Amino acid sequence: MRYLVCLSLLISTTPGAFAQTAAESVAAKSYPIEYLGKSIPQSFTMDASRLPVLREWQPGDPISEIPRQHWLAAGQKPPSALTPVNAADPRDPLVAKAQQFYATRAQRAFGTPEFSVAGIGNTGVSPPDTTADVGKDHVVQSVNGGGGARYLILNKTDGSVAAGPFTMAALGTGGVCGSSLGDPVIVYDEMAERWLFTEFSTQAGRSLCVYVSAGSNPVSTTWTKYEFQTPAFPDYPHYGVWGNSYLITANEGSTGGNRPIFAVDRAKMLLGQPAGIVRANLPNLSGFGFQTWTPADHDGKLNAVPATLPGIFMRHRDDEAHNAGANNPTQDFLELVQLTVDWSAPTPVGSASAVQQIPMAEFSSNLNGLSAFEAFPQPNGQKIDPLREPIMRRVAYRRFPGYETLLGNLVTDVDGNDTGGIRWFELRRTGGAAGTWTLHQQGTHALADAGGPIDRWMAGAAMDQDGNIALAYSVVRQAPAVFTGLRYAGRLAGDPLGTLTTAEASIFEGAGSQTGQRWGDYAQLGTDPENGCSFFGTGEYVNAGGQWQTRVGRFKFDECGGPTFTAVSSNLSQQICAAVLPASSRQLSLDFSALNGFSAPVSVALNGALPAGLTGTLSAATITPPGTLTANFTFAAGTVAGPNSATIRSQGTGPNGAIVRDLNVAFDVYTQAPTAPSLSAPANAALGVALTPTLSWAAAPQTASYLLELSTSASFTTLIAQQVVTGTSFTAPALASNTQYFWRVSARNACPVINPSELLRDGFEDPSSGSATSSVFSFSTQAGPGDCSAGTTTTVVFNDDMESGAPGWTHSAAAGTDTWAISPAFPAAGANAYRGIGPVSQADQRLVSPAISVPAGSNQRFLSFSQRIGMEPDGANCYDAGILEVSTDAGVTFNQITTGITGVPYTGTVDSGNTALGGRQGWCGLSTAHAITAVDLAPYGGQSVRFRFRLGTDTGVNVADGWNIDNVRVLSCTP
């Protein structure tokens, strides 16, 4: 189960400001560990087959949906999406590659599950938090239920029930964990052949319950129970098996702007001895209330994690969401932290160290904002939870000869329309702890059928012993109906990097829609520790009765198992400039590894006919893995611009016959430098353009990508947006009203725009090598609140940006304390704004402008001001509120302005408990940015007026932000 934790946001109007805050990054820092004490274990022996079996939920039984839990301190506001300074293309850059391979991928036996059996049925608690792992002879599944987690034991050969379902609390007797709550995680420690069953308890408010088996048979064994208490409630805990520790993460509250990572003493727990727990606090990310790290979890019975290897934790960072003030629109990041603990010291010592910020292709966490549980619509229209915040359970860790891998996934919006796709990634490292993790491959799994896109999310990712990868995940679509079900897809180790090359297969298809918004919170995919090949996945679906159910499926690649080899390479996708011939590719390094005792020679050759003009050479025709060969390609006369490809086929002989590994090399060939594109819309010098315009241009021949630049200056010294685009249009970020903008587009490919005789002979895969820039177009945006319309001349009658002390303004309180003051807390621009704060008492505070002469005549006249509102709402109405008043008699009497207001209208009616403003219309609520309000001053033409900003509060809650007023102007618009 997951609780939503709402924290305050750091909001800045200064580019780069976010990069300086501790809540934004863990880069290049070290964090001390805190020893939280020891748990004294309790051991007991139990035969699960003798426990009474719990029945499934029946109509009439209680129904419980886990509520949102707000850890909201005074003055803090719920998280919301921030507007990044550099707009990112809403289209996922990796989706086209996935679609390309989906059109040609072949079905394999992988697409037929070896079994798909029912798991634990609906318990009346939502979400189920479905989890399962596979051990020596069994699969164990667990879900949330009334009275805590329930677990079910299946025989892994055929999926038949061996025992259960039971409550997890039945594994112990009394204590804190006798009143457990849920959030189960099932973990099999294959290095020790032990099970870990885990959940949390709210007893004492902060307990982790961990049960460790004495053997590999969970039906009949001795269990040792550990109760670890954390400083605050450890919501959404996750676990990973590591060398000297079991790694744990949680969405723990009350940690002062941090999220913790934990470790417990694995060696002591395997011996049934008292075991310690340590914690390190790492900075939060802005933009998320609920958030957590994900621990690495070891796979691979024969390649154990060394006890000296630091534990690994990861999270993703979408800098449009978390670093909006200084975001990079073309890439986001994976953050990786290592935890070192010396358990041998009397008091454990160690630290958590930020190791790497790993760039990856742009993805989007903004799925109906950054906190809503509703994103993916079911056929009945009810939207369900995307779980955008964590890297999903698990980050699977596996060791191969010469290198280590980390495999994980997260959900992303693939098109800007809240369409869910799965961004998966594989990291590799050589050299052990001293080495550097690199992004070996990444892809976005997001496919459409004849009915359109399908939402995919809530994935588990795993890798078998041969390096083949599988994803199992949830699917749904509103129309044409795809009911929430469970599917999977995968790739062989030698397939083109970044692609899933099997057809999508089904574990189980849903038949109905649920009425609630909560979904899953996690699913799980694991690999059989005995054969190293079979994948076991679990997740939820909805039946025809609208109730969630769970399923457990097993599937494998036919190619996995027995002696075999792998062939991998980088540089499999290159961009080539062939303007001068011959031209060469970058050299490919072909790396071969032997698995499971493979020792036969492997023949390596180019397979099939090559495109015209393309030739290739290999450094050797055979190799006995492990080892490395190189390949080089040359483009000569006859080369054709566009996609060119080659296949390098490696063939060896295994116990079951021929083993074939194909490496497909893709070349995008350009035979000329790019030409400048022609801009089309908005037309040059266009007026009244929408505030989020779509800029478009004609395609230029042989163009790899376009660089769009948008600025408020013709010299482009200040950029509003700078975006690499693969298509021929770009939707700009929200622009300022009534403002002139300039834009241009550069066409780019691998060929430099220089004398062709100066071309180098390799390295043209960089699409920014050459560019040709269009002419410059301009446009002016439509008028906004308080702006003079197009075709008029603006005369500024009065202007005060509060930067010079706001001369002529006065303020007082008719009741309570006068708090109006120039403040740097929340300016619209510059350094200052006027700010009034509502106390926890009745107050009537007034801020009065200097006298202002409103021009007479038939011209338009406006008052405009920028306001950031922090006043206590009452649903759609107000407890505390602000109003605007005007005086035409030198401030003797004031009347509220109620008409002619645009931009930000009054919020609602002020509660009668507010004695100053009760019954009036007023402004209130919790805004996170300034917005412009405008007032038509036609009724006051030719008069001298004063404006009064009046803040009235009741005796209830204080909202610390207060009412912030900036950039007060009076304009006259002359035709």
Side-chain angles (χ1 to χ4, degrees):
M1 88 197 44
R2 177 165 63 103
Y3 296 97
L4 181 66
V5 186
C6 294
L7 303 174
S8 63
L9 296 178
L10 303 175
I11 297 177
S12 173
T13 57
T14 305
F18 280 103
Q20 306 303 316
T21 63
E24 298 306 327
S25 175
V26 294
K29 295 181 182 178
S30 181
Y31 303 87
I33 65 170
E34 174 188 5
Y35 180 52
L36 303 179
K38 286 185 178 180
S39 173
I40 308 301
Q42 176 189 17
S43 295
F44 50 92
T45 301
M46 188 190 70
D47 184 347
S49 65
R50 297 179 179 272
L51 291 176
V53 175
L54 298 173
R55 69 180 180 90
E56 188 174 335
W57 177 90
Q58 301 294 326
D61 289 348
I63 297 176
S64 174
E65 181 171 294
I66 304 303
R68 291 183 172 97
Q69 175 152 333
H70 297 268
W71 288 310
L72 191 62
Q76 292 182 317
K77 295 157 295 300
S80 62
L82 306 177
T83 301
V85 295
N86 299 306
D89 191 328
R91 297 165 297 185
D92 189 290
L94 305 183
V95 167
K97 190 173 185 181
Q99 293 286 166
Q100 170 191 348
F101 278 90
Y102 183 68
T104 58
R105 63 178 66 170
Q107 180 65 278
R108 297 186 176 100
F110 176 81
T112 303
E114 295 177 318
F115 67 66
S116 173
V117 299
I120 302 174
N122 195 301
T123 62
V125 177
S126 179
D129 294 353
T130 314
T131 176
D133 208 351
V134 54
K136 188 172 185 179
D137 300 300
H138 299 89
V139 178
V140 181
Q141 186 203 43
S142 187
V143 302
N144 287 324
R150 297 184 183 185
Y151 71 97
L152 172 70
I153 304 174
L154 304 175
N155 294 305
K156 77 176 187 182
T157 54
D158 59 4
S160 60
V161 175
F166 323 110
T167 63
M168 196 175 290
L171 295 173
T173 55
V176 169
C177 294
S179 242
S180 55
L181 185 61
D183 264 28
V185 174
I186 302 294
V187 179
Y188 185 69
D189 182 345
E190 54 198 70
M191 293 182 288
E193 296 191 330
R194 306 283 192 89
W195 289 94
L196 271 71
F197 293 3
T198 75
E199 64 175 329
F200 61 28
S201 170
T202 54
Q203 200 159 91
R206 56 185 198 281
S207 300
L208 295 169
C209 306
V210 181
Y211 304 88
V212 183
S213 71
S216 63
N217 183 356
V219 177
S220 180
T221 188
T222 296
W223 294 90
T224 304
K225 177 181 69 174
Y226 289 88
E227 298 173 346
F228 295 106
Q229 292 203 345
T230 58
F233 181 56
D235 179 44
Y236 199 76
H238 282 308
Y239 295 75
V241 175
W242 205 248
N244 70 346
S245 302
Y246 292 123
L247 309 178
I248 309 173
T249 59
N251 174 45
E252 184 183 2
S254 304
T255 53
N258 297 304
R259 283 297 183 273
I261 59 176
F262 301 89
V264 293
D265 191 336
R266 175 174 175 262
K268 291 290 197 319
M269 294 173 71
L270 293 176
L271 294 172
Q273 298 176 357
I277 178 172
V278 298
R279 179 182 79 159
N281 272 331
L282 306 177
N284 283 344
L285 293 169
S286 293
F288 282 167
F290 166 81
Q291 58 185 282
T292 184
W293 294 78
T294 303
D297 183 30
H298 168 268
D299 283 342
K301 185 175 181 179
L302 300 180
N303 297 300
V305 183
T308 56
L309 196 67
I312 294 172
F313 301 81
M314 293 184 68
R315 72 181 178 190
H316 62 75
R317 179 161 60 86
D318 173 2
D319 62 7
E320 282 69 41
H322 309 308
N323 303 82
N327 71 296
N328 183 326
T330 63
Q331 66 182 21
D332 288 313
F333 302 89
L334 297 171
E335 295 191 336
L336 192 147
V337 164
Q338 291 188 165
L339 178 67
T340 302
V341 184
D342 180 1
W343 295 108
S344 65
T347 298
V349 296
S351 64
S353 301
V355 178
Q356 287 180 253
Q357 304 265 332
I358 302 171
M360 67 189 310
E362 183 73 24
F363 60 85
S364 176
S365 299
N366 189 334
L367 288 154
N368 191 18
L370 297 178
S371 60
F373 282 7
E374 305 89 355
F376 304 139
Q378 303 170 97
N380 69 351
Q382 171 65 58
K383 295 182 178 181
I384 47 182
D385 187 6
L387 202 78
R388 64 182 71 75
E389 296 90 349
I391 293 176
M392 295 306 301
R393 169 151 184 86
R394 303 172 299 134
V395 172
Y397 169 89
R398 192 178 278 274
R399 296 168 64 82
F400 290 95
Y403 66 94
E404 306 160 88
T405 66
L406 288 168
L407 177 69
N409 79 92
L410 54 102
V411 66
T412 181
D413 180 356
V414 301
D415 57 9
N417 296 316
D418 293 343
T419 300
I422 301 164
R423 173 65 62 83
W424 60 273
F425 58 86
E426 180 190 355
L427 307 182
R428 289 193 176 184
R429 178 173 71 176
T430 59
T436 300
W437 289 99
T438 59
L439 182 63
H440 177 65
Q441 61 175 325
Q442 60 178 324
T444 299
H445 188 48
L447 308 175
D449 61 16
I454 298 173
D455 293 310
R456 291 170 177 83
W457 84 111
M458 200 69 66
M463 178 183 289
D464 67 22
Q465 66 179 17
D466 289 358
N468 308 314
I469 290 172
L471 295 180
Y473 44 86
S474 293
V475 295
V476 74
R477 182 175 62 201
Q478 184 172 15
V482 174
F483 294 104
T484 44
L486 295 168
R487 299 181 185 177
Y488 64 97
R491 68 183 307 277
L492 293 171
D495 288 339
L497 294 178
T499 63
L500 299 184
T501 52
T502 71
E504 185 172 68
S506 176
I507 294 177
F508 202 77
E509 293 300 302
S513 300
Q514 68 179 29
T515 57
Q517 61 187 349
R518 303 301 305 278
W519 185 259
D521 268 7
Y522 37 93
Q524 197 161 328
L525 186 67
T527 312
D528 191 323
E530 299 301 310
N531 67 26
C533 294
S534 295
F535 297 100
F536 289 79
T538 190
E540 69 171 303
Y541 67 96
V542 176
N543 65 15
Q547 303 299 322
W548 66 256
Q549 302 288 312
T550 69
R551 204 79 180 174
V552 178
R554 187 183 81 187
F555 50 91
K556 70 179 289 293
F557 290 98
D558 285 354
E559 294 85 346
C560 182
T564 188
F565 69 91
T566 63
V568 298
S569 178
S570 57
N571 294 330
L572 289 176
S573 180
Q574 301 188 31
Q575 294 192 1
I576 304 293
C577 180
V580 174
L581 299 174
S584 300
S585 71
R586 277 198 181 276
Q587 180 172 280
L588 282 78
S589 178
L590 314 178
D591 299 316
F592 295 84
S593 297
L595 299 174
N596 307 322
F598 184 88
S599 59
V602 173
S603 63
V604 188
L606 295 172
N607 184 58
L610 295 176
L614 178 61
T615 58
T617 60
L618 297 167
S619 60
T622 61
I623 187 172
T624 300
T628 300
L629 299 182
T630 57
N632 293 279
F633 291 88
T634 302
F635 298 82
T639 296
V640 178
N644 287 249
S645 63
T647 300
I648 303 171
R649 172 161 290 182
S650 305
Q651 298 187 74
T653 302
N656 299 317
I659 302 171
V660 179
R661 300 282 186 256
D662 284 343
L663 293 173
N664 297 311
V665 190
F667 300 106
D668 287 330
V669 177
Y670 303 93
T671 58
Q672 66 180 45
T675 57
S678 299
L679 306 186
S680 55
N684 193 24
L687 301 176
V689 173
L691 300 185
T692 55
T694 296
L695 312 178
S696 59
W697 54 93
Q702 295 200 37
T703 297
S705 63
Y706 300 91
L707 176 67
L708 178 137
E709 296 172 286
L710 178 65
S711 177
T712 53
S713 65
S715 62
F716 292 87
T717 52
T718 302
L719 289 174
I720 303 300
Q722 185 177 42
Q723 179 69 53
V724 176
V725 181
T726 55
T728 56
S729 66
F730 171 74
T731 300
L735 303 178
S737 62
N738 221 30
T739 302
Q740 186 179 28
Y741 289 91
F742 301 86
W743 64 291
R744 63 189 179 190
V745 176
S746 301
R748 315 197 308 171
N749 69 18
C751 295
V753 187
I754 57 176
N755 188 319
S757 65
E758 299 178 33
L759 289 174
L760 300 176
R761 297 296 180 184
D762 60 7
F764 294 119
E765 74 284 354
D766 181 2
S768 65
S769 296
S771 62
T773 304
S774 70
S775 57
V776 176
F777 272 22
S778 70
F779 63 87
S780 296
T781 52
Q782 63 193 21
D787 290 334
C788 291
S789 58
T792 63
T793 299
T794 301
T795 301
V796 179
V797 177
F798 176 84
N799 183 33
D800 198 332
D801 59 8
M802 310 303 178
E803 299 301 308
S804 57
W809 291 79
T810 60
H811 48 88
S812 61
T817 303
D818 175 20
T819 64
W820 283 109
I822 297 291
S823 168
F826 300 110
N832 297 310
Y834 246 118
R835 182 187 188 199
I837 302 172
V840 187
S841 61
Q842 295 285 347
D844 184 359
Q845 306 177 57
R846 291 97 177 271
L847 173 66
V848 181
S849 75
I852 302 170
S853 296
V854 179
S858 60
N859 299 343
Q860 293 176 307
R861 287 140 295 182
F862 292 103
L863 163 72
S864 71
F865 58 95
S866 182
Q867 61 173 325
R868 186 181 191 274
I869 302 168
M871 292 173 282
E872 184 192 8
D874 174 18
N877 295 308
C878 304
Y879 286 122
D880 299 342
I883 66 172
L884 176 66
E885 298 175 316
V886 63
S887 172
T888 58
D889 57 6
V892 176
T893 59
F894 282 89
N895 297 299
Q896 183 179 2
I897 297 177
T898 58
T899 60
I901 299 175
T902 57
V904 182
Y906 284 127
T907 309
T909 304
V910 182
D911 185 86
S912 60
N914 185 327
T915 57
L917 304 179
R920 304 189 188 202
Q921 293 292 299
W923 285 294
C924 64
L926 300 170
S927 63
T928 58
H930 272 267
I932 294 174
T933 300
V935 179
D936 183 359
L937 296 182
Y940 309 102
Q943 301 182 66
S944 176
V945 301
R946 294 176 186 267
F947 299 105
R948 185 163 76 178
F949 297 90
R950 187 173 173 189
L951 171 58
T953 56
D954 63 9
T955 56
V957 175
N958 160 263
V959 179
D961 287 4
W963 195 14
N964 302 270
I965 306 296
D966 203 354
N967 295 336
V968 179
R969 300 196 306 165
V970 173
L971 307 177
S972 175
C973 309
T974 305

